[in-house]
Amino acid sequence: MRHHALLAVCLACLLAACGKPGASGPAAAASAPAATLLVAPEDVLTVASSAIAGGPVITGSVQPERRADLAAEVAAVVVQVLRDNGEPVRRGDLLMRLDDTALRESLASAEESVRASNQAFEQAERQVQRLRTLQQQGMISTQALEDAEIRRNNTQSELVAARARAVSARQQVTRTLVRAPFDGVVSERRVSVGDTVQIGRELVKVIDPASMRFEGLVSADRVAELKPGQAARFHVNGFGNAEFSGRVRRVDAAANATTRQVELIVDFADAAKAPRVAGLFAEGRIETGSSDALTLPESPIVRSGDTASVWRLDGKLLQKVAVTLGERDPRSGQYAVLKGLAAGDRVLRNPGRTLQPGQGFEFAASAASASAAK
């Protein structure tokens, strides 16, 4: 019995030793305070108020003002393609040739009809002149002269009709040659050699890259704020963070019945710097006014799903503060802070992932001074 009591005392001593402050293990590691963070002055951002551009958001694409969809004007077979996608062209350059064999035969027949009708008219005219002379001499009746004049007039009408048919046939032959309507670039070739095309079939599209503009859409709810001449700033997909500026040229007078959006045209402020590729997505804002608000750049904002927060410096401790953000200013890239911060608050400019709420911090300069004092 005495042996059992001694064993119980030993076990109690061991358990007490495990619970002492100097013990090590997972529980002790979890309760250990985070190390003090050294912060350089350039790592701190002071929240301040600044002007935020206001105005409706515009979305759309970059499109050329000068563009032509060249379609077949005659039914024929494509016999030659001289330009492909992306190739530059000059006005009048031959882009495509259609088979003109049957049309040339029609043209030859029309020209022969013109020649025959012209001969018939000339002969009828000479006959009228002879009969007029004879009638003046009293050798024929007035009726005979009038009949000759009628025949002359009929042949003249036939000549005019034959000439019109020849002109039409000549135009048909010309339409087998597809030419560039202006200086530009072939943006889309829709047929190949051997294809049979009917009248109206699209053959090739030509655009002028020097005439790019922003064709955008704005919600009809904001149309009252829009007017020609307003400034616009926007980004174009494929050009990174480059910002383009322009001015509203015109606003359509009717909204789309399905989307309830209004189309408007924005000219680039510097046409030489405009993208040379059509169809690129663009998004920005029409500058109809500005207002003052607390702002933050993207770097101090920590996002988690739909929530956003920042690390604020409170006294000597770090605190994670939830913030409510407004729209992004397209000019500066700053976000409006609607809730969570006040003017003068200091936040970490580029917070790390290992920070903990309540973690202490010291400025690097003061820490260095303390070390020197020691």
Side-chain angles (χ1 to χ4, degrees):
M1 190 74 179
R2 184 177 179 181
H3 176 72
H4 290 296
L6 181 61
L7 181 59
V9 171
C10 293
L11 289 173
C13 292
L14 288 173
L15 290 172
C18 292
K20 288 182 178 180
S24 62
S31 62
T36 300
L37 180 68
L38 293 180
V39 179
E42 58 269 20
D43 294 331
V44 178
L45 181 67
T46 302
V47 180
S49 178
S50 62
I52 293 289
V57 173
I58 176 175
T59 59
S61 60
V62 177
Q63 297 291 349
E65 181 176 1
R66 301 181 69 193
R67 50 192 170 191
D69 294 327
L70 305 182
E73 298 182 81
V74 295
V77 176
V78 179
V79 296
Q80 190 177 16
V81 175
L82 294 92
R83 292 288 192 275
D84 210 338
N85 294 341
E87 294 187 12
V89 295
R90 304 285 293 179
R91 180 179 180 180
D93 283 355
L94 185 61
L95 308 179
M96 199 170 295
R97 190 191 303 272
L98 306 181
D99 185 16
D100 62 357
T101 304
L103 296 177
R104 287 196 175 278
E105 291 178 357
S106 298
L107 175 60
S109 175
E111 289 177 340
E112 179 60 26
S113 178
V114 169
R115 188 187 65 79
S117 298
N118 189 56
Q119 288 180 347
F121 170 71
E122 290 177 352
Q123 184 177 359
E125 178 65 23
R126 289 193 297 268
Q127 181 69 10
V128 167
Q129 296 300 331
R130 287 196 298 268
L131 293 179
R132 182 174 289 121
T133 301
L134 294 175
Q135 195 272 338
Q136 291 174 352
Q137 297 174 356
M139 300 178 64
I140 64 170
S141 65
T142 303
Q143 183 63 44
L145 177 60
E146 291 177 352
D147 291 342
E149 289 177 342
I150 291 174
R151 288 193 296 272
R152 188 271 313 273
N153 294 340
N154 289 337
T155 57
Q156 185 178 22
S157 298
E158 292 174 0
L159 176 59
V160 171
R163 286 174 175 171
R165 289 192 295 271
V167 170
S168 177
R170 193 172 295 109
Q171 288 179 343
Q172 291 292 89
V173 172
T174 303
R175 288 168 181 167
T176 62
L177 304 177
V178 182
R179 299 184 181 276
F182 48 76
D183 296 351
V185 173
V186 175
S187 66
E188 188 174 358
R189 177 175 62 84
R190 297 175 180 251
V191 296
S192 301
V193 174
D195 289 348
T196 300
V197 297
Q198 301 300 322
I199 297 177
R201 168 78 178 274
E202 292 186 359
L203 302 176
V204 63
K205 180 183 294 185
V206 178
I207 65 172
D208 180 5
S211 66
M212 292 296 182
R213 61 186 185 178
F214 181 12
E215 299 181 2
L217 297 171
V218 172
S219 172
D221 298 338
R222 309 292 298 271
V223 70
E225 305 174 39
L226 303 176
K227 60 182 179 181
Q230 289 174 325
R233 294 181 181 274
F234 50 93
H235 293 84
V236 178
N237 187 28
F239 285 80
N241 295 325
E243 185 179 63
F244 297 90
S245 61
R247 291 200 173 274
V248 176
R249 182 199 300 180
R250 63 174 176 82
V251 181
D252 278 4
N256 185 286
T258 303
T259 64
R260 296 301 176 188
Q261 291 180 311
V262 177
E263 183 178 357
L264 50 80
I265 302 299
V266 177
D267 291 324
F268 283 87
D270 188 350
K273 295 182 179 180
R276 290 294 188 265
V277 180
L280 296 178
F281 176 77
E283 182 177 16
R285 187 181 298 277
I286 305 298
E287 297 181 1
T288 58
S290 62
S291 59
D292 290 336
L294 299 179
T295 59
L296 281 178
E298 179 70 33
S299 59
I301 301 172
V302 180
R303 299 184 184 272
S304 178
D306 295 334
T307 63
S309 59
V310 297
W311 287 92
R312 185 174 64 193
L313 283 65
D314 287 345
K316 291 293 184 180
L317 301 178
L318 293 175
Q319 298 296 341
K320 191 174 185 180
V321 180
V323 293
T324 302
L325 301 177
E327 295 182 343
R328 181 175 180 270
D329 186 348
R331 296 180 303 180
S332 62
Q334 303 269 338
Y335 287 91
V337 180
L338 306 180
K339 188 183 297 184
L341 294 175
D345 284 349
R346 298 178 301 167
V347 299
L348 287 181
R349 189 182 299 272
N350 295 287
R353 295 177 177 272
T354 59
L355 299 178
Q356 298 180 18
Q359 181 177 352
F361 73 90
E362 288 184 1
F363 284 101
S366 60
S369 300
S371 300
K374 291 181 180 180

